[in-house]
Amino acid sequence: MKYLVLILCFFSINFMISQDMLLEAESFDDKGGWVVDPQFIEQMGSSYLLAHGMGEPVKNAKTEVNFKKDGEYKVWVRTKNWVPGEWEAPGRFQIKVNGLVLENTLGLRSGWGWEYAGAVRITNKKNTLELEDLTGFNGRCDAIYFTISDVEPPSSMKKLATWRKTVVMEQLAPKFTKKYDLVVVGGGIAGCAAAIAAAEEGLQVALIHDRPVLGGNASSEIRVHTLGIYGNFERILKKLDTEHYPNGSPEAHKDQIKRDNNVKSYENISLFLNWRAYDAKAVENRIRYVDARQTATGERIRFEAPLFVDSTGDGWIGFWAGAEFSYGRESVDKYGEEWKEHGELWSPKQPDNAVMGSSVLWRSYEAEQVAQFPEVPWAMPVARDYAKVKGEWQWEFSRNDLHQIDDAEEIRDHMLRAIYGSFANAKKQPENANRKLEWVSYLVGKRESRRLVGDYIFTLNDAKTGRTFADGVVEETREVDVHYQTVLEDENNPDFISEALFYKTPKYYIPYRSLYSKNINNLFMAGRNFSTSHVGLGGPRVMRTTGQMGAAVGFAASLCKKYDVSPRDIYTGYLHEYMDLIEKQKYTPIPDSKK
């Protein structure tokens, strides 16, 4: 009898699951004014749809849903109230099924979890589902679950992940595998440069990037202009970099077109836009594969290669593969990076988790008539009386109790509150009556997080002494520039405004040994997650410099393939040929930067 009960329970559960339906919001056919946000998958479990309307409700997201069976379905929605408090939640929205608005308003729960939207009777196979934004202030919807049971779906991350896979019957491994000579993860300037350099040497390259456009912080979605010098790689970097327009400028779109077209012109670069890596498997200190997921459809691919480049910024590939990494500020004594004039703001007595912060850029414009802006009481605890009509690089947030990776959504949301609150304050001034928000990024522009450890760790001392290296493949003249939050100097300052400390240096160099992992034998890194100390990162973190890193590892990868060796072997056995290849880049024709 016991076994009969178990069998009946098994069939009952599977019957309910087969009749129930889980719909990932990011997979909607018509996203309307909602946007796919995949920035925080590792923290909250999925991409989600975001109603980023800058205070004006966005157009409904719509999709068609096919049910296997008619019936009375309870509808659960995974969402959150992103600013809980004694005010109306700023991200409220509703669900509509076949034009019928379900009874409960959503976006009211503190923290990610399931909210009950209401019940609906399904009598047709084909049905329409809509998300109706009520505020324009960043409502978010992860998934919608239609169920005939009375049981709320699980909320804990571990149980939720298992449940999700069960409901959609996801296989353990991706169905498709693709093989390349080199897999580059991260399509910022560094990742693009790595892909181009390797492709020009004949490698078959996969470039995986989780946004629809390339460039990372330089993209038209984040709009930071590129700084630094070109070093040996002007020809490649001019295909990718930006003019020196103000940060946040719509001029970024011009360089976006140039950059995307240039990368797409290489037949041996397979470009995977809107794909986000979610795992890397290493066996005996070698990465065997990287798994990635399409951010909207959920389709998965396994990427195999003898060589990988981590240009994710956050060092995700290295992290998953077990690479050594560092995070935060070292003790001033570890590398002797003291600057007495600035003391703890520059380098602390004791190591800590402080890092340079993340920015969210924004701008407004002068409309032809008076423009209204809603009251935003939920933003005022952050903005206080600060009043501005645009935000440049100084709009930056870091706090010692917040991790730039683990707490990235909270950091982004803090900046959104700062922006909306400061703009609301500015709108109260008569001269800003016609001011209207033109653009607010919803993407976090990070400066610093994980730094993967290589055979050499670059420090301030290498920069300030202009130390040369036999394997010096990156060069820079820009001063070392470390940021801190101004609230550390005066508690009355807004906590989202930073200041920079500039340490003048001679020309300095970064060795190739800082661009491959110390303990993962087939992993390169290029970008802000290269092998450096916290202070050492202050100079070469800008994008032309990180682009040099990318080009350098792309060319190194070509020699790895030529001799069937690992990145370290290039330094120990083929350095002369490698440096000749790097030097040769100076003398190749430079294209028109507008092409």
Side-chain angles (χ1 to χ4, degrees):
M1 180 61 72
K2 178 173 66 175
Y3 298 108
L4 179 59
V5 170
L6 287 173
I7 291 170
L8 289 173
C9 286
F10 174 81
F11 280 110
S12 176
I13 291 169
N14 277 273
F15 170 77
M16 287 191 292
I17 289 175
S18 66
Q19 185 166 346
D20 292 354
M21 178 179 298
L22 176 66
L23 183 67
E24 298 289 352
E26 62 271 17
S27 69
F28 269 48
D29 299 322
D30 176 4
K31 295 172 180 63
W34 297 66
V35 294
V36 177
D37 192 340
Q39 297 175 93
F40 317 114
I41 290 174
E42 291 78 17
Q43 292 77 44
M44 57 73 64
S46 175
S47 299
Y48 60 82
L49 285 186
L50 182 74
H52 187 58
M54 300 183 295
E56 296 182 4
V58 304
K59 185 180 176 183
N60 288 6
K62 301 178 182 179
T63 198
E64 188 176 273
V65 185
N66 295 325
F67 284 83
K68 295 179 180 179
K69 295 179 180 295
D70 295 349
E72 184 85 11
Y73 287 85
K74 297 175 178 62
V75 184
W76 293 90
V77 179
R78 189 165 188 256
T79 181
K80 72 181 293 187
N81 177 359
W82 66 278
V83 194
E86 295 181 355
W87 41 68
E88 280 196 301
R92 303 185 309 282
F93 67 99
Q94 293 175 313
I95 297 283
K96 293 173 72 174
V97 180
N98 296 326
L100 174 67
V101 177
L102 299 192
E103 60 187 284
N104 293 326
T105 298
L106 304 165
L108 307 179
R109 182 190 191 278
S110 178
W112 279 105
W114 296 95
E115 293 183 10
Y116 182 62
V120 62
R121 173 161 288 281
I122 299 297
T123 58
N124 300 308
K125 181 179 179 181
K126 293 184 178 181
N127 301 269
T128 58
L129 177 64
E130 297 179 59
L131 303 181
E132 184 172 14
D133 175 32
L134 299 178
T135 70
F137 282 121
N138 300 90
R140 48 206 76 182
C141 179
D142 172 23
I144 303 101
Y145 183 53
F146 292 84
T147 179
I148 61 172
S149 80
D150 294 321
V151 180
E152 177 181 346
S155 288
S156 75
M157 280 292 294
K158 187 174 181 180
K159 290 181 179 178
L160 176 65
T162 301
W163 175 84
R164 248 179 165 135
K165 292 175 182 178
T166 301
V167 171
V168 300
M169 294 181 287
E170 182 176 276
Q171 298 176 350
L172 291 176
K175 184 177 179 181
F176 301 105
T177 296
K178 292 181 177 288
K179 296 184 179 182
Y180 296 90
D181 296 320
L182 178 69
V183 171
V184 181
V185 186
I189 300 298
C192 289
I196 288 175
E200 288 187 347
E201 294 299 307
L203 273 64
Q204 295 294 322
V205 181
L207 177 56
I208 304 168
H209 188 53
D210 65 357
R211 300 302 306 165
V213 293
L214 295 166
N217 283 348
S219 73
S220 58
E221 296 187 308
I222 298 179
R223 303 186 186 177
V224 177
H225 58 238
T226 56
L227 293 174
I229 65 173
Y230 294 110
N232 294 296
F233 309 108
E234 183 172 2
R235 177 183 59 82
I236 289 176
L237 296 182
K238 278 198 168 183
K239 296 173 182 280
L240 304 170
D241 70 346
T242 74
E243 300 293 334
H244 194 84
Y245 47 69
N247 289 322
S249 170
E251 292 292 306
H253 287 285
K254 297 178 182 178
D255 290 314
Q256 188 68 65
I257 294 170
K258 173 194 77 173
R259 181 182 310 117
D260 289 356
N261 287 342
N262 281 330
V263 174
K264 290 174 182 177
S265 71
Y266 288 86
E267 292 184 359
N268 52 335
I269 295 178
S270 297
L271 183 56
F272 294 86
L273 294 176
N274 291 315
W275 285 78
R276 187 177 178 95
Y278 65 86
D279 194 18
K281 177 67 173 179
V283 178
E284 296 181 346
N285 296 323
R286 293 186 67 83
I287 298 175
R288 296 293 178 87
Y289 60 79
V290 165
D291 289 342
R293 187 187 303 272
Q294 216 283 341
T295 57
T297 68
E299 180 186 357
R300 297 184 298 154
I301 294 176
R302 175 160 291 176
F303 294 85
E304 294 182 351
L307 299 162
F308 295 83
V309 180
D310 188 334
S311 289
T312 63
D314 286 334
W316 279 114
I317 306 306
F319 177 75
W320 290 322
E324 291 186 29
F325 69 92
S326 59
Y327 181 95
R329 303 192 300 174
E330 299 88 356
S331 161
V332 67
D333 299 320
K334 184 167 185 178
Y335 299 119
E337 296 175 300
E338 181 181 42
W339 190 1
K340 288 184 178 179
E341 181 181 347
H342 296 291
E344 290 279 322
L345 289 178
W346 182 257
S347 192
K349 291 288 186 184
Q350 298 297 326
D352 59 28
N353 284 326
V355 295
M356 287 180 280
S358 297
S359 289
V360 176
L361 299 181
W362 64 288
R363 58 187 283 128
S364 64
Y365 70 99
E366 192 75 9
E368 295 181 356
Q369 56 191 13
V370 172
Q372 302 299 321
F373 190 71
E375 294 292 325
V376 287
W378 43 268
M380 292 311 169
V382 175
R384 296 188 293 183
D385 60 354
Y386 203 66
K388 294 290 179 181
V389 295
K390 68 175 182 178
E392 250 275 6
W393 68 263
Q394 297 94 340
W395 286 66
E396 174 182 354
F397 185 52
S398 179
R399 207 171 65 204
N400 286 10
D401 64 326
L402 294 177
H403 193 282
Q404 290 290 318
I405 299 173
D406 298 341
D407 302 307
E409 187 176 24
E410 182 176 347
I411 290 168
R412 190 276 306 273
D413 290 348
H414 190 89
M415 292 304 298
L416 290 178
R417 295 174 74 187
I419 291 166
Y420 294 134
S422 298
F423 185 69
N425 288 334
K427 286 290 293 177
K428 295 173 183 176
Q429 300 168 358
E431 63 269 27
N432 293 322
N434 288 21
R435 275 278 160 183
K436 188 174 178 63
L437 283 176
E438 176 183 279
W439 172 78
V440 178
S441 180
Y442 61 91
L443 300 176
V444 178
K446 293 182 183 178
R447 289 177 177 82
E448 180 181 7
S449 53
R450 293 190 193 102
R451 305 183 300 276
L452 302 179
V453 176
D455 278 352
Y456 188 88
I457 298 174
F458 178 82
T459 72
L460 171 67
N461 292 322
D462 296 317
K464 74 181 185 181
T465 61
R467 181 178 177 182
T468 58
F469 301 89
D471 60 334
V473 291
V474 174
E475 53 192 58
E476 189 50 76
T477 57
R478 183 180 181 274
E479 56 269 84
V480 174
D481 159 22
V482 173
H483 293 193
Y484 67 92
Q485 302 302 127
T486 59
V487 71
L488 298 176
E489 291 184 311
D490 183 348
E491 64 181 12
N492 293 315
N493 287 334
D495 67 359
F496 51 87
I497 298 296
S498 71
E499 189 50 81
L501 301 172
F502 293 93
Y503 194 107
K504 298 288 185 181
T505 66
K507 188 175 186 178
Y508 54 89
Y509 306 84
I510 296 172
Y512 168 67
R513 285 164 292 157
S514 296
L515 305 180
Y516 62 83
S517 171
K518 178 180 180 180
N519 68 306
I520 300 299
N521 297 331
N522 61 339
L523 178 63
F524 294 103
M525 55 268 197
R528 59 182 172 84
N529 57 338
F530 84 105
S531 182
T532 181
S533 67
H534 160 75
V535 177
L537 179 65
R541 63 185 170 80
V542 294
M543 285 180 277
R544 286 195 186 118
T545 323
T546 60
Q548 291 186 56
M549 299 177 198
V553 302
F555 287 118
S558 72
L559 293 182
C560 288
K561 181 186 178 184
K562 179 179 179 180
Y563 295 109
D564 191 22
V565 296
S566 296
R568 179 178 288 112
D569 298 324
I570 300 302
Y571 174 73
T572 59
Y574 303 90
L575 184 59
H576 182 74
E577 182 177 354
Y578 177 48
M579 296 307 293
D580 282 349
L581 181 59
I582 297 296
E583 183 72 15
K584 177 184 173 184
Q585 305 311 312
K586 283 184 179 179
Y587 306 107
T588 51
I590 297 171
D592 183 340
S593 64
K594 295 298 182 184
K595 290 182 179 178

